[in-house]
Amino acid sequence: MTEKRASIGARRNPDTEAAVLNAATQILAEAGIAGLRMEAVAKRARAGKATLYRWWPTRGALLLAVYRRMKTEDVYADTGSLEGDIAGVLRLVFGHWRRETGAVFRSIIAAAQVEPDVAEALAEFRLERRTALLAVIARAERRGELPAGLVPERLAEAVIATLWFKLLSHDLDDDPDALARVLTQSWSKG
Amino acid sequence: MTEKRASIGARRNPDTEAAVLNAATQILAEAGIAGLRMEAVAKRARAGKATLYRWWPTRGALLLAVYRRMKTEDVYADTGSLEGDIAGVLRLVFGHWRRETGAVFRSIIAAAQVEPDVAEALAEFRLERRTALLAVIARAERRGELPAGLVPERLAEAVIATLWFKLLSHDLDDDPDALARVLTQSWSKG
Amino acid sequence: MTEKRASIGARRNPDTEAAVLNAATQILAEAGIAGLRMEAVAKRARAGKATLYRWWPTRGALLLAVYRRMKTEDVYADTGSLEGDIAGVLRLVFGHWRRETGAVFRSIIAAAQVEPDVAEALAEFRLERRTALLAVIARAERRGELPAGLVPERLAEAVIATLWFKLLSHDLDDDPDALARVLTQSWSKG
Amino acid sequence: MTEKRASIGARRNPDTEAAVLNAATQILAEAGIAGLRMEAVAKRARAGKATLYRWWPTRGALLLAVYRRMKTEDVYADTGSLEGDIAGVLRLVFGHWRRETGAVFRSIIAAAQVEPDVAEALAEFRLERRTALLAVIARAERRGELPAGLVPERLAEAVIATLWFKLLSHDLDDDPDALARVLTQSWSKG
DNA sequence: TTGTAACCGAGACGGTACGTCTCGTCTTGCA
DNA sequence: TGCAAGACGAGACGTACCGTCTCGGTTACAA
């Protein structure tokens, strides 16, 4: 990393952005969302407060930027069955959240209740996840696996609801297979 | 309202408690959780800040007290079928939340991510609801309605997950019947 | 001491008074006048705040009561000369103040700048001391020791001024003989 | 007056300092030291409390700043005799104190009993005055006016003691000439 | 003998001020 | 010329005491 960042002209300095996001990520890890103070982030990043406010006008904006940088592109593997695929999704997301991003996403849900821009971004995240899940369900449909009457959108939402609920309940160690079984109602097929 | 509240001796004054909870409820309605400042509550209730902190040491404690006072004892009607019963539960809770308590409960979920005491109380609420739902499911079991393999606790949790998700997604006007159908997998019976 | 003091009927309880003054004295010794809080005195004395305020309505009143209880009746010895007598007075008062009452009297002077009742009591103390000093000077006059033109009241005041000044300057270890020499102008006689 | 003061960059704003000291001076004049509350000063000066505490961490520091700004450079006139010079000093100081600074200096003496930084500043004031008085006495010595055995430092201290005593006794209207006569023992020369 | 009056400890009450903290805005001076 | 540095006004935070009050109980004295 450059020892001394400064202006690179009349445009955003990527070094500064990186320093700020790193600082915010560290602080989040150390002190949680309650410790994520604009002033502290600026100080730790050796950035001016004005600079911070210029690019991330609210705590929520900063939070979102951190999360976006952490988020990896999930690829949902094909296990050959809907139940297995859903279990895979749960396992994958729980894994990410347990390792690092869980606390941040939890904070985003909390912040979304207060800051409208975060609420908007959260809605967008939800839709993104929904789209990905619909692809998984469509795959099962192509396999002819879907029971009659199942509405893909409803199932996708139920999966997201389960994910959020487990995150907010601090219960990310629950069994993804059991959860997937409930969601896909496999008992009805026995 | 009493013109003059004050000490009634070396013990808690119920008038003061009522005044504080009323003030907090009003402020929550007017300004949301972000406007729920201890200072503002004390001022509006014409109570001293020390009094406030004596009985409700954190914003979360106050929030919980407000919610507890608003909460009515839900009685889940017997509709004759599990799907109908679950739909009834969703309809009832959505109704309450839409009318008044939704914003407060949303705030509680948000606050629970920061304040441990709120988190604890929220966990307790969750268990309470779970117990009530298990009673509904047990009723269905007695009717011989439950599919083989269904784990009541899992279903109960799925219902709560749906409730929370819809609350946090500001989607309390969704169709309870459709949601209940997904939760109880009625398609498998068609 | 009685384990539990309480009312002894419709009259003042001397045990309570003693407990309060003891508590106040201890607190003054430990924490100075800044630590002399009504609340702290009541707690330490195991007395109710109402009781405290009934008998000592202000901090100043309490301060005065403590000082009055500590003050001993000074007897100014006859050394045979005015200068010696004055030196004796200084030595005696400095001794008292150094040992214990100095801090309290300093607090009284400070409190007198704020609370009128303390100011009044301080004026009274001043007069008391003046009277005692005038007796010493009168003794010298009877010995024919007084220079022509000396106004006894002026000398008495100068002695008190010196006492106060040394107390407020935290300089109670200064030499009483040297001070007495200046006050009685012995150089003029050599 | 400027309508709106604010930051002038990363350094102290003299306008703010002036506003604060003006506010403090006014409040002292109106309500005395008991009314000199940090909160009130901040409000009246339209300054933030943080700003106040940044530059004047204690009430004593504020008091000192006010006094220093009020203090004028005393020039002690040469009357041709020691007694006259001392009388002049007393008259001059009494005059200042009567007009305006007396209450403030009294407050400083009181505050010095509680706050160590004020005590320190007071000691400094004392030394300053002592030095000025020693110059007056040296002038008399050059005139050959000083009695044998007179210790200039002792006389200087006696003058200061008299000044303080009269201030604390609210007796600034006493006759400077009579006081000077006692201090310089003119009776011994008659 | 029985009020009843004043005392007592306790501590809740509405308040005020404290000193700290964070916010978001603003200049300035350095690089 | 863009950024770090940080001063600024504003005001909420949680704490500490203030002086007043009511409580429930105790004791002494008057009726």
Side-chain angles (χ1 to χ4, degrees):
Chain A
M1 193 190 296
T2 325
E3 241 326 277
K4 187 68 184 182
R5 273 171 296 99
S7 169
I8 57 168
R11 63 194 213 281
R12 189 165 186 169
N13 184 340
D15 288 353
T16 295
E17 177 171 12
V20 166
L21 294 184
N22 286 339
T25 305
Q26 286 170 30
I27 290 175
L28 267 174
E30 292 169 14
I33 205 207
L36 188 71
R37 245 78 72 161
M38 299 303 261
E39 200 123 18
V41 173
K43 177 104 25 178
R44 164 112 51 151
R46 300 190 52 78
K49 286 175 61 177
T51 307
L52 201 57
Y53 279 102
R54 183 169 6 253
W55 304 119
W56 301 273
T58 67
R59 187 202 319 259
L62 190 49
L63 212 48
L64 290 174
V66 169
Y67 186 71
R68 267 191 254 267
R69 207 179 56 153
M70 285 167 75
K71 207 160 69 95
T72 61
E73 208 44 56
D74 290 341
V75 178
Y76 298 142
D78 189 340
T79 64
S81 78
L82 177 61
E83 187 186 330
D85 285 0
I86 298 286
V89 169
L90 296 175
R91 202 183 317 275
L92 190 67
V93 177
F94 282 2
H96 282 325
W97 279 349
R98 255 199 316 263
R99 271 198 300 284
E100 31 184 357
T101 58
V104 179
F105 195 69
R106 221 186 329 255
S107 300
I108 288 177
I109 294 180
Q113 311 310 316
V114 176
E115 295 181 36
D117 59 337
V118 183
E120 204 175 318
L122 182 58
E124 186 194 308
F125 283 154
R126 203 166 51 227
L127 285 180
E128 210 174 277
R129 182 89 71 195
R130 200 175 102 123
T131 306
L133 281 165
L134 285 176
V136 171
I137 298 168
R139 202 159 62 191
E141 188 165 31
R142 270 182 261 113
R143 288 197 216 100
E145 228 187 319
L146 250 48
L150 185 149
V151 185
E153 286 77 11
R154 293 284 174 195
L155 177 55
E157 277 209 338
V159 173
I160 301 173
T162 300
L163 283 167
W164 285 26
F165 179 72
K166 287 298 174 180
L167 176 67
L168 294 175
S169 305
H170 289 84
D171 192 18
L172 295 178
D173 289 316
D174 203 355
D175 177 19
D177 298 313
L179 290 168
R181 200 169 313 129
V182 181
L183 285 164
T184 55
Q185 330 279 359
S186 64
W187 62 79
S188 67
K189 294 180 295 188
Chain B
M1 195 192 294
T2 324
E3 242 323 278
K4 184 71 180 178
R5 268 173 305 99
S7 171
I8 56 168
R11 64 198 217 281
R12 187 165 187 169
N13 185 343
D15 289 354
T16 295
E17 178 171 10
V20 166
L21 293 183
N22 287 338
T25 304
Q26 286 171 29
I27 290 175
L28 267 174
E30 292 168 15
I33 204 205
L36 188 71
R37 280 181 274 270
M38 298 301 259
E39 201 122 16
V41 173
K43 181 136 328 193
R44 164 112 51 149
R46 302 188 51 76
K49 284 175 60 177
T51 303
L52 203 57
Y53 280 102
R54 178 157 27 237
W55 304 118
W56 301 274
T58 66
R59 187 198 322 259
L62 189 51
L63 212 46
L64 291 174
V66 169
Y67 186 69
R68 265 191 254 268
R69 209 180 53 153
M70 284 167 75
K71 207 161 69 97
T72 60
E73 210 45 54
D74 290 340
V75 178
Y76 298 143
D78 189 341
T79 64
S81 77
L82 177 61
E83 186 186 329
D85 285 0
I86 298 285
V89 168
L90 295 175
R91 200 182 319 275
L92 188 66
V93 176
F94 283 1
H96 281 325
W97 279 350
R98 253 198 320 262
R99 268 196 304 283
E100 31 184 358
T101 59
V104 179
F105 195 69
R106 222 186 329 257
S107 299
I108 288 176
I109 294 180
Q113 311 310 315
V114 176
E115 296 181 35
D117 60 335
V118 184
E120 204 175 317
L122 181 59
E124 187 195 309
F125 281 155
R126 204 164 52 226
L127 286 180
E128 211 174 277
R129 182 88 74 195
R130 200 175 102 123
T131 305
L133 282 165
L134 285 176
V136 170
I137 298 169
R139 203 158 60 191
E141 189 167 31
R142 281 194 298 277
R143 288 197 216 99
E145 225 188 322
L146 250 50
L150 185 149
V151 184
E153 285 77 13
R154 293 285 175 193
L155 177 56
E157 277 209 338
V159 174
I160 301 171
T162 300
L163 284 167
W164 285 27
F165 180 72
K166 287 299 175 183
L167 176 66
L168 294 175
S169 305
H170 290 85
D171 192 17
L172 295 178
D173 288 317
D174 203 357
D175 177 19
D177 296 315
L179 291 168
R181 199 168 313 127
V182 181
L183 286 163
T184 55
Q185 49 138 353
S186 62
W187 63 79
S188 68
K189 292 182 297 187
Chain C
M1 194 193 293
T2 325
E3 243 324 279
K4 183 69 179 184
R5 270 172 300 97
S7 170
I8 56 167
R11 65 199 215 281
R12 188 166 185 172
N13 184 343
D15 288 354
T16 293
E17 178 171 12
V20 165
L21 293 183
N22 286 337
T25 305
Q26 286 171 30
I27 290 175
L28 268 174
E30 293 168 14
I33 204 205
L36 189 70
R37 247 82 72 158
M38 298 302 260
E39 200 125 15
V41 173
K43 178 108 18 182
R44 164 109 53 146
R46 302 187 52 76
K49 285 173 60 176
T51 304
L52 202 57
Y53 279 101
R54 187 173 359 251
W55 303 118
W56 302 274
T58 68
R59 188 200 320 258
L62 190 50
L63 211 47
L64 291 174
V66 168
Y67 185 70
R68 267 191 252 268
R69 208 180 53 153
M70 285 166 76
K71 205 161 69 98
T72 59
E73 207 45 54
D74 289 341
V75 177
Y76 298 142
D78 189 340
T79 64
S81 77
L82 177 61
E83 187 186 329
D85 286 358
I86 298 286
V89 168
L90 295 175
R91 201 183 317 275
L92 189 67
V93 176
F94 283 2
H96 282 325
W97 280 349
R98 253 200 317 265
R99 269 197 302 284
E100 31 184 358
T101 58
V104 179
F105 195 70
R106 221 186 330 256
S107 299
I108 288 177
I109 294 180
Q113 310 310 316
V114 176
E115 296 181 36
D117 59 336
V118 183
E120 203 175 319
L122 182 59
E124 184 195 311
F125 283 152
R126 203 166 52 226
L127 286 180
E128 209 175 278
R129 182 89 70 197
R130 200 174 102 122
T131 305
L133 282 165
L134 286 175
V136 170
I137 298 169
R139 204 158 59 191
E141 189 166 32
R142 269 182 261 113
R143 290 197 214 99
E145 229 187 320
L146 250 49
L150 186 149
V151 184
E153 286 77 12
R154 293 284 175 194
L155 176 57
E157 276 210 338
V159 173
I160 302 172
T162 300
L163 283 167
W164 285 27
F165 180 72
K166 287 298 175 180
L167 176 66
L168 294 175
S169 305
H170 289 85
D171 192 18
L172 296 178
D173 289 317
D174 203 356
D175 178 19
D177 296 314
L179 290 168
R181 199 168 313 126
V182 181
L183 286 164
T184 55
Q185 329 277 1
S186 63
W187 62 78
S188 66
K189 293 179 297 184
Chain D
M1 193 191 295
T2 325
E3 242 326 277
K4 182 72 178 183
R5 271 170 298 101
S7 170
I8 57 167
R11 66 198 216 282
R12 188 166 184 168
N13 185 341
D15 289 353
T16 294
E17 178 172 9
V20 165
L21 293 184
N22 286 338
T25 305
Q26 286 170 29
I27 289 175
L28 267 174
E30 293 168 15
I33 205 208
L36 188 71
R37 275 177 278 263
M38 299 301 260
E39 200 124 15
V41 173
K43 179 131 333 188
R44 164 113 48 149
R46 299 189 52 78
K49 286 174 59 176
T51 304
L52 202 58
Y53 281 101
R54 186 171 3 252
W55 304 118
W56 302 273
T58 67
R59 187 198 322 256
L62 190 50
L63 211 48
L64 290 174
V66 168
Y67 185 70
R68 267 190 252 268
R69 209 179 54 152
M70 285 166 75
K71 206 160 70 97
T72 59
E73 209 45 55
D74 290 341
V75 178
Y76 299 143
D78 189 339
T79 64
S81 77
L82 178 60
E83 187 186 329
D85 286 0
I86 298 287
V89 168
L90 295 175
R91 201 184 318 276
L92 189 66
V93 176
F94 282 0
H96 282 325
W97 279 349
R98 254 200 316 264
R99 269 198 302 285
E100 33 184 357
T101 59
V104 179
F105 195 69
R106 218 185 333 254
S107 300
I108 288 176
I109 294 180
Q113 311 310 316
V114 176
E115 295 182 34
D117 59 336
V118 183
E120 205 175 318
L122 182 59
E124 188 194 307
F125 283 154
R126 204 165 51 224
L127 285 180
E128 211 174 276
R129 183 88 71 195
R130 201 175 100 122
T131 305
L133 282 165
L134 285 176
V136 170
I137 298 169
R139 203 158 60 192
E141 189 166 31
R142 279 193 300 278
R143 290 197 215 100
E145 221 188 324
L146 250 48
L150 186 149
V151 185
E153 286 78 12
R154 294 284 174 192
L155 176 57
E157 277 209 337
V159 173
I160 302 172
T162 300
L163 284 166
W164 285 26
F165 180 73
K166 286 299 174 182
L167 176 66
L168 294 175
S169 306
H170 289 85
D171 192 18
L172 296 178
D173 289 316
D174 203 357
D175 176 21
D177 296 315
L179 290 168
R181 199 168 313 128
V182 181
L183 286 164
T184 54
Q185 48 137 355
S186 61
W187 63 80
S188 68
K189 291 180 297 185

